[in-house]
Amino acid sequence: MSEHTQQPDSDQQPDLVQQPDRGRRDFLATAAGLATAAVAPGVVLHTAAVAAPRTTPVTDIKRWGMLIDTAKCADGCTACVDACDHENGLDLQETPEGIKPLKWDNQRATWIRKVKLRDNLTGRMTNLPLMCQHCENPPCVDVCPTGASFKRADGIVMVDRHTCIGCRYCMMACPYKARSFIHEQVVQKLTRAPRGKGCVESCNLCVHRLDNGESSTACADACQEVGHAAILFGDLNDPHGALREALRQVNSRQIRQDLELNTGVRYAGI
Amino acid sequence: MRRIVYREWRIESSRYWSLLAILAGVIAIGGLAALYMEHEGHWVTGMTNSVVWGAPHVFAVFLIVSASGALNVASIGTVFDKSFYKPLGRLSGLLAAALLVGGLLVLVLDLGRPDRLAVAMTTYNFSSIFAWNIFLYTGFVAIVIAYLWTMADRKGDPYKKPVGTFAFLWRLALTTGTGSIFGFLVGREAYDTAVLAPMFVVMSFAYGLAIYILVLMYSFAQDDRPIGALMLKRLKNLLGLFVAGVLYFTLIYHLTRLYGAQTQSIEHFLLVSGGIYTLVFWLGWMMIGSLLPLGIIYHPRHSKNPRAIALASALVIIGGLAAMYVIIIGSQAYPQEMFPGMSVVEFGAPGDIGGAVAPYWPSLPELLLGIGGVAVALLITTVGIRVLQFLPESLADRAVDPHVAAAESRQQ
């Protein structure tokens, strides 16, 4: 009996030595919770992506283009350039250590640039944004040996970064100096605008927006927001669309019209 | 004419291995330079978004163009039945293949993504002259190897003429293709002219022969094999003709551009106001590469001196590199004309060259890569002539000219 009283009742007082470690249990529970919290968004996003795959091919029903009214393009305004830089992660480019700033300016990727011109005879100044002109017959696509440089059915000219070998022949062929080579290691990039060392890239008319149902580009929006509205983006194929309507109203021309590339970007006032 | 006897290069082992070691060292440095540029990215080079093809392209295009020209010596013997040139055929084929491999290596290692060579070999866009050239280049190596076989093996003898003719036509297509890489670029003022293709063909004749003469003279001198005065005279006269041909095409090219109002400013840039490019054009391409060699080649006294002929050949090579520098880099540095009648005051970000001449200076890694390509070509040639019977035992007058041989036998 005394033996019995001396021994603790296993039912009422469980042996602490044989009990699971509460600390470990708590830790595992916390870890599981954290892991779920970390992975779940990815799973949800993945599920969402798989659930709604883009099954419809791009068609030539639309042809995206622009009309740029140089009379409205303000001197000193860089809203379109800044918006493009931000939208496509160009502002994330990091200056390689030890490079001279001027050299870096000539090497970093630029999709859209603000150009200022002076008429040699009259001295009249003109401002305009210059980007990939999205030619109907793009010389860059003609010369690309691997077909990495391509034109979509909706008129957007872009680069497949998986097949670009970095030969830069498209840059030699572009009459608009619109293409950039990624000269440096890329640390930060956006999912919507992937960027890799050794590949060529250029303005893609914010294709990620258009493919997600939006109908404007970052540069056109920014220009509108600052009140200039010099860039009108739209569908060149839509005879009743705003773009065609505007093109009917004003006298526009293509840069290097002599090359007969039928560019998607048109300019008024040059 | 006596039967031509070919022998391996029999210089001392120590000299041979020393030569190989030096070339291997240069190749290794070139390889390291390529690795550095690939690892860091092209920001370490002098290339920019304006000058996208730099010094490696100067070397690569020069080597590729020379490769096709080096085969010319064999073609003269086989296709045009000039028996005088027949002993020179094997070295001509070897040098052609070696120079092409050297040039292609430089081209590939200068790609932004050299690791994607497999993509370039498997994914084609046939509207691109570059894609055609991949076939023209690889086909050239295969055809030259077949051609060498017909020259070296008795069984191949009946095929020598058809294969040689095919190789000749192929090499013409190859150089036309290389010239067209530039000639098809409609958006740049200096290019966009069909005359570049035949100009590259004639350039290939000159540069390929100049390299051939130097390699022939060096390899023969090292092995104490004789080259007769007649052979040297023929070769230097041919070189003179080709250099004059390059001059003619250069004149036609510039006159055409000067005549059109649209291209007058690029001509003014290249010929008058282009700074380094104008200097390289007049001093490198015209003086060193054309007029000086022509002066030596047709000089009544110096033209008989083998050293002077070697010097003329070396000058033609320097001139060839200068010509490529002006054509490839000068034409890119000149701002693209997009707005006729207007001056570009600002062009994007500060420093981003648009209306002004783009700065470019070749960086050391670029030069080392290019020189590495030259070393590859020389290494292949050195090993080739050492292990196989590429070099004739003698190119003395009596060995190559039946009239001299007959005259000598009459005297005896």
Side-chain angles (χ1 to χ4, degrees):
Chain A
M1 189 68 189
S2 62
E3 281 180 7
H4 181 76
T5 51
Q6 280 173 0
Q7 295 225 336
D9 186 344
S10 60
D11 290 332
Q12 290 174 357
Q13 278 190 298
D15 183 2
L16 290 175
V17 180
Q18 296 202 350
Q19 281 297 303
D21 183 344
R22 279 185 188 282
R24 188 185 295 172
R25 180 177 280 178
D26 290 346
F27 171 75
L28 286 173
T30 314
L34 284 173
T36 309
V39 173
V43 174
V44 172
L45 283 174
H46 177 72
T47 314
V50 171
R54 191 169 292 123
T55 50
T56 49
V58 176
T59 65
D60 58 359
I61 294 169
K62 287 181 194 289
R63 186 192 171 195
W64 298 112
M66 280 180 179
L67 171 63
I68 294 165
D69 189 342
T70 57
K72 295 178 183 170
C73 184
D75 191 10
C77 171
T78 57
C80 57
V81 179
D82 299 338
C84 175
D85 282 1
H86 185 66
E87 180 80 13
N88 296 296
L90 291 158
D91 52 358
L92 297 174
Q93 295 178 91
E94 283 178 19
T95 313
E97 208 172 316
I99 193 172
K100 286 180 184 162
L102 192 68
K103 189 179 173 192
W104 172 236
D105 269 335
N106 288 323
Q107 287 186 332
R108 70 184 170 84
T110 309
W111 284 17
I112 179 169
R113 56 181 96 241
K114 191 71 190 296
V115 178
K116 191 179 198 175
L117 306 167
R118 183 181 53 238
D119 190 296
N120 290 343
L121 185 69
T122 62
R124 179 176 180 268
M125 304 298 274
T126 309
N127 288 283
L128 56 93
L130 181 71
M131 70 290 274
C132 171
Q133 301 290 298
H134 299 277
C135 315
E136 187 187 16
N137 305 303
C140 57
V141 173
D142 282 345
V143 302
C144 175
T146 64
S149 191
F150 68 102
K151 189 186 71 164
R152 298 199 341 167
D154 58 1
I156 300 176
V157 177
M158 51 196 290
V159 181
D160 178 351
R161 290 181 182 82
H162 296 287
T163 44
C164 175
I165 56 171
C167 72
R168 313 180 301 279
Y169 196 21
C170 59
M171 299 176 75
M172 292 288 284
C174 177
Y176 305 104
K177 204 173 172 291
R179 297 211 144 183
S180 297
F181 180 67
I182 304 302
H183 288 77
E184 74 289 357
Q185 299 272 9
V186 180
V187 182
Q188 285 182 284
K189 58 199 129 188
L190 302 175
T191 314
R192 60 176 180 254
R195 176 162 294 117
K197 180 186 76 180
C199 287
V200 173
E201 58 181 47
S202 59
C203 158
N204 57 17
L205 290 180
C206 290
V207 71
H208 55 276
R209 287 178 166 221
L210 305 174
D211 284 349
N212 284 313
E214 291 181 60
S215 58
S216 186
T217 60
C219 56
D221 281 356
C223 191
Q224 182 77 35
E225 276 166 29
V226 294
H228 302 309
I231 305 174
L232 178 63
F233 180 81
D235 178 13
L236 283 166
N237 284 352
D238 181 1
H240 307 296
L243 182 57
R244 282 279 287 271
E245 193 59 44
L247 283 165
R248 255 195 299 275
Q249 301 295 325
V250 297
N251 188 15
S252 66
R253 63 185 296 273
Q254 307 164 46
I255 301 176
R256 291 299 314 262
Q257 195 145 350
D258 57 315
L259 296 176
E260 298 186 8
L261 302 172
N262 189 12
T263 57
V265 181
R266 306 294 173 107
Y267 291 83
I270 57 166
Chain B
M1 195 172 83
R2 290 179 191 175
R3 197 171 72 85
I4 309 155
V5 180
Y6 294 91
R7 290 263 184 268
E8 293 88 350
W9 207 30
R10 284 177 173 164
I11 61 165
E12 287 164 39
S13 275
S14 57
R15 258 198 302 161
Y16 171 68
W17 287 107
S18 309
L19 188 60
L20 282 196
I22 292 167
L23 290 172
V26 176
I27 293 168
I29 293 169
L32 285 174
L35 200 66
Y36 172 65
M37 287 189 284
E38 199 276 329
H39 182 74
E40 289 286 333
H42 272 57
W43 72 270
V44 296
T45 70
M47 291 176 242
T48 62
N49 285 328
S50 298
V51 179
V52 298
W53 285 352
H57 275 76
V58 172
F59 280 93
V61 176
F62 176 77
L63 285 170
I64 289 168
V65 162
S66 304
S68 134
L71 194 70
N72 228 33
V73 180
S75 302
I76 297 170
T78 314
V79 183
F80 301 104
D81 279 328
K82 302 284 179 199
S83 57
F84 200 84
Y85 288 88
K86 281 186 178 162
L88 307 175
R90 293 187 187 182
L91 177 65
S92 166
L94 173 69
L95 201 55
L99 287 166
L100 191 80
V101 170
L104 285 183
L105 264 177
V106 176
L107 203 62
V108 166
L109 291 174
D110 185 52
L111 290 177
R113 298 298 303 255
D115 53 311
R116 288 188 184 160
L117 186 61
V119 175
M121 305 289 266
T122 51
T123 318
Y124 292 106
N125 165 31
F126 284 106
S127 73
S128 168
I129 189 81
F130 230 45
W132 300 0
N133 278 345
I134 293 170
F135 285 101
L136 286 171
Y137 296 154
T138 47
F140 182 76
V141 175
I143 291 163
V144 168
I145 289 170
Y147 188 21
L148 281 172
W149 172 74
T150 65
M151 285 192 270
D153 195 319
R154 212 166 283 172
K155 275 184 257 171
D157 200 52
Y159 309 106
K160 195 156 76 179
K161 185 139 187 180
V163 172
T165 308
F166 188 57
F168 175 67
L169 294 174
W170 194 277
R171 64 137 306 229
L172 286 181
L174 185 146
T175 331
T176 306
T178 311
S180 301
I181 285 179
F182 301 97
F184 281 11
L185 295 175
V186 293
R188 287 181 185 264
E189 284 63 38
Y191 305 136
D192 188 21
T193 169
V195 81
L196 278 171
M199 188 161 110
F200 268 59
V201 173
V202 179
M203 282 174 155
S204 81
F205 290 169
Y207 309 153
L209 183 60
I211 295 175
Y212 185 92
I213 291 174
L214 277 186
V215 170
L216 184 77
M217 289 179 85
Y218 176 79
S219 55
F220 266 55
Q222 292 298 302
D223 204 11
D224 293 327
R225 300 188 200 200
I227 305 179
L230 268 177
M231 175 58 79
L232 278 181
K233 188 183 171 192
R234 290 266 182 110
L235 288 175
K236 67 102 187 164
N237 281 346
L238 196 61
L239 184 65
L241 186 71
F242 291 158
V243 171
V246 175
L247 265 179
Y248 168 75
F249 270 94
T250 312
L251 187 71
I252 294 293
Y253 168 79
H254 288 292
L255 281 178
T256 317
R257 317 304 285 165
L258 278 168
Y259 192 75
Q262 216 178 353
T263 43
Q264 277 175 2
S265 34
I266 174 78
E267 280 304 316
H268 190 268
F269 172 74
L270 291 176
L271 303 180
V272 182
S273 63
I276 182 78
Y277 304 106
T278 303
L279 183 74
V280 173
F281 175 79
W282 287 111
L283 187 67
W285 187 349
M286 289 293 109
M287 278 305 293
I288 296 174
S290 305
L291 299 176
L292 215 53
L294 281 179
I296 295 172
I297 287 165
Y298 293 114
H299 192 275
R301 196 158 37 86
H302 295 314
S303 64
K304 294 188 180 73
N305 180 358
R307 282 175 187 275
I309 295 170
L311 176 68
S313 304
L315 293 176
V316 170
I317 292 170
I318 294 169
L321 286 165
M324 290 299 154
Y325 199 87
V326 175
I327 292 172
I328 297 176
I329 296 173
S331 307
Q332 292 177 79
Y334 180 75
Q336 283 179 274
E337 300 257 21
M338 284 179 242
F339 308 99
M342 292 184 174
S343 301
V344 177
V345 182
E346 283 171 21
F347 196 79
D352 197 349
I353 305 299
V357 176
Y360 172 81
W361 196 248
S363 64
L364 188 62
E366 288 174 75
L367 292 173
L368 293 176
L369 172 62
I371 293 165
V374 176
V376 167
L378 294 178
L379 184 92
I380 293 171
T381 312
T382 309
V383 174
I385 60 173
R386 175 75 173 189
V387 299
L388 292 171
Q389 296 170 345
F390 278 105
L391 296 180
E393 204 161 43
S394 168
L395 288 173
D397 291 348
R398 65 186 140 74
V400 290
D401 192 318
H403 303 295
V404 174
E408 278 188 6
S409 60
R410 274 198 300 275
Q411 282 172 2
Q412 285 164 6

